[in-house]
Amino acid sequence: MASILFALLCLQSFAASLSLPLSADSSKIRAISLDVTGTLVATKEPVVKSYADAAHWAKLPDPPTQDEMKKGFKIAFKQRCLESPCYGGVDGIAGREWWRETVASVLHHAKPDAKVSEQDFDRYFRRVYQHFGSPAGYEVLDDAKNLLESQSTSELLLGITSNTPTRHMESVLPMLDIHNHFKWFACSQDIKYEKPSMEIFDASFEQAKFWIPDLQKDEVLHIGDSYAADYCGAKRFGFQALLLDRSDNPAVVAYQDWIEAPDYEGKTVDEVQLNTIKSLDEVVSMLSL
């Protein structure tokens, strides 16, 4: 709760001080680490709408409404992330099986008294899983396109540090045709740790150093839309960091809003506010100076 209040104070302070310059040191930056969901990409429609539409397509008996799906997803996703972290990576569960159990839990919490046969559920789950592995599932956010295009001829190294399933690295990014912009990919299911842990940032840093062996931590800029996972996690590790405030974008949802923000040296409301941006276009401008 304390970290949530701190984040709110930061955003309020940011809104009152839009003219202040970023405090990130662009002259030092040799590599940029990026979050995926909410930073580079978003679902094309609300996840719970996709779940509800799939229930109608699959002809589930008494299918849950979108509001019921929203309630069910909120409960089930948090529960599954806590009991089987990193999309099953910690437990050695295949990503598809992790999602199968999660979607079953969503249905249960959305409509506890509903009776769904195994055959009906198999048909429903495949529809959901196909949707999020198809072009209908995700889109690249406009300012992310601008950032990636602006760096297409740059010497800066770009990579991924993300609390996402392996499928995002191996299927979603290539499907969206943005994977070639990145030299390294650190995702929580592979690493078996998630942001804000030191371990996933360390894994990301080690992958980046394959390409730049003498790279230093403060020469890496991490950008993400989670105050706790991205900003505070990266700062504690020793990266430079920018917090991307997507609160005005209805397509972006904070899925892991229970994560506690770690402390780091020099953490203040003013310091966070100085490193908060509303668009990745601000990064493009900063890097062009």
Side-chain angles (χ1 to χ4, degrees):
M1 181 61 72
S3 64
I4 294 174
L5 291 174
F6 188 87
L8 288 173
L9 286 172
C10 292
L11 292 179
Q12 289 170 358
S13 180
F14 167 72
S17 309
L18 289 173
S19 62
L20 288 174
L22 298 176
S23 67
D25 186 354
S26 59
S27 66
K28 277 190 174 182
I29 297 169
R30 301 171 73 190
I32 299 178
S33 161
L34 290 151
D35 171 54
V36 174
T37 307
T39 298
L40 296 175
V41 309
T43 55
K44 283 190 173 180
E45 62 184 16
V47 168
V48 293
K49 181 181 185 303
S50 302
Y51 275 48
D53 288 350
H56 283 279
W57 178 92
K59 299 187 182 298
L60 293 187
D62 191 20
T65 66
Q66 189 170 323
D67 284 343
E68 288 171 331
M69 284 292 192
K70 184 175 182 179
K71 178 194 72 174
F73 187 88
K74 185 174 181 64
I75 296 170
F77 185 70
K78 179 177 181 178
Q79 184 181 75
R80 290 288 294 141
C81 285
L82 293 176
E83 70 186 14
S84 182
C86 303
Y87 303 94
V90 172
D91 301 324
I93 300 171
R96 189 179 190 278
E97 289 310 304
W98 189 91
W99 278 110
R100 182 181 172 84
E101 290 185 37
T102 301
V103 172
S105 182
V106 171
L107 281 182
H108 169 72
H109 288 290
K111 209 124 188 175
D113 297 328
K115 304 296 182 184
V116 180
S117 70
E118 185 173 349
Q119 185 179 37
D120 285 345
F121 179 73
D122 286 344
R123 184 170 61 254
Y124 170 67
F125 173 70
R126 173 158 286 147
R127 181 69 172 183
V128 171
Y129 202 69
Q130 285 176 335
H131 174 78
F132 290 105
S134 78
Y138 296 94
E139 63 184 354
V140 183
L141 294 164
D142 288 342
D143 60 339
K145 291 179 187 176
N146 295 341
L147 174 62
L148 296 178
E149 289 170 4
S150 75
Q151 297 306 304
S152 60
T153 58
S154 168
E155 294 183 0
L156 285 177
L157 192 72
L158 302 186
I160 297 293
T161 311
S162 184
N163 288 357
T164 48
T166 305
R167 187 159 82 141
H168 276 60
M169 305 300 102
E170 297 178 352
S171 299
V172 174
L173 296 184
M175 177 181 65
L176 295 172
D177 197 27
I178 60 173
H179 62 297
N180 283 326
H181 289 282
F182 307 106
K183 291 293 189 182
W184 85 88
F185 304 86
C187 73
S188 58
Q189 187 177 2
D190 287 346
I191 306 302
K192 300 179 175 56
Y193 289 93
E194 62 186 10
K195 298 175 297 184
S197 74
M198 298 283 278
E199 288 84 355
I200 190 169
F201 284 105
D202 186 57
S204 182
F205 184 50
E206 289 302 315
Q207 287 189 39
K209 287 201 296 182
F210 171 82
W211 301 97
I212 307 177
D214 64 343
L215 186 68
Q216 303 300 307
K217 288 182 181 180
D218 64 354
E219 296 174 329
V220 180
L221 171 66
H222 178 75
I223 307 169
D225 68 310
S226 169
Y227 164 72
D230 289 304
Y231 187 77
C232 293
K235 292 286 283 188
R236 179 178 64 173
F237 182 71
F239 286 171
Q240 294 191 57
L242 292 175
L243 173 61
L244 179 58
D245 174 17
R246 293 287 198 193
S247 59
D248 291 338
N249 190 331
V252 175
V253 178
Y255 291 106
Q256 293 182 309
D257 56 4
W258 59 85
I259 292 177
E260 286 293 318
D263 288 328
Y264 57 87
E265 186 177 352
K267 180 180 181 181
T268 66
V269 169
D270 287 344
E271 177 268 332
V272 176
Q273 172 245 308
L274 280 172
N275 287 297
T276 299
I277 58 176
K278 296 288 283 187
S279 169
L280 292 173
D281 289 335
E282 295 177 58
V283 181
V284 176
S285 298
M286 179 186 77
L287 295 175
S288 65
L289 294 177

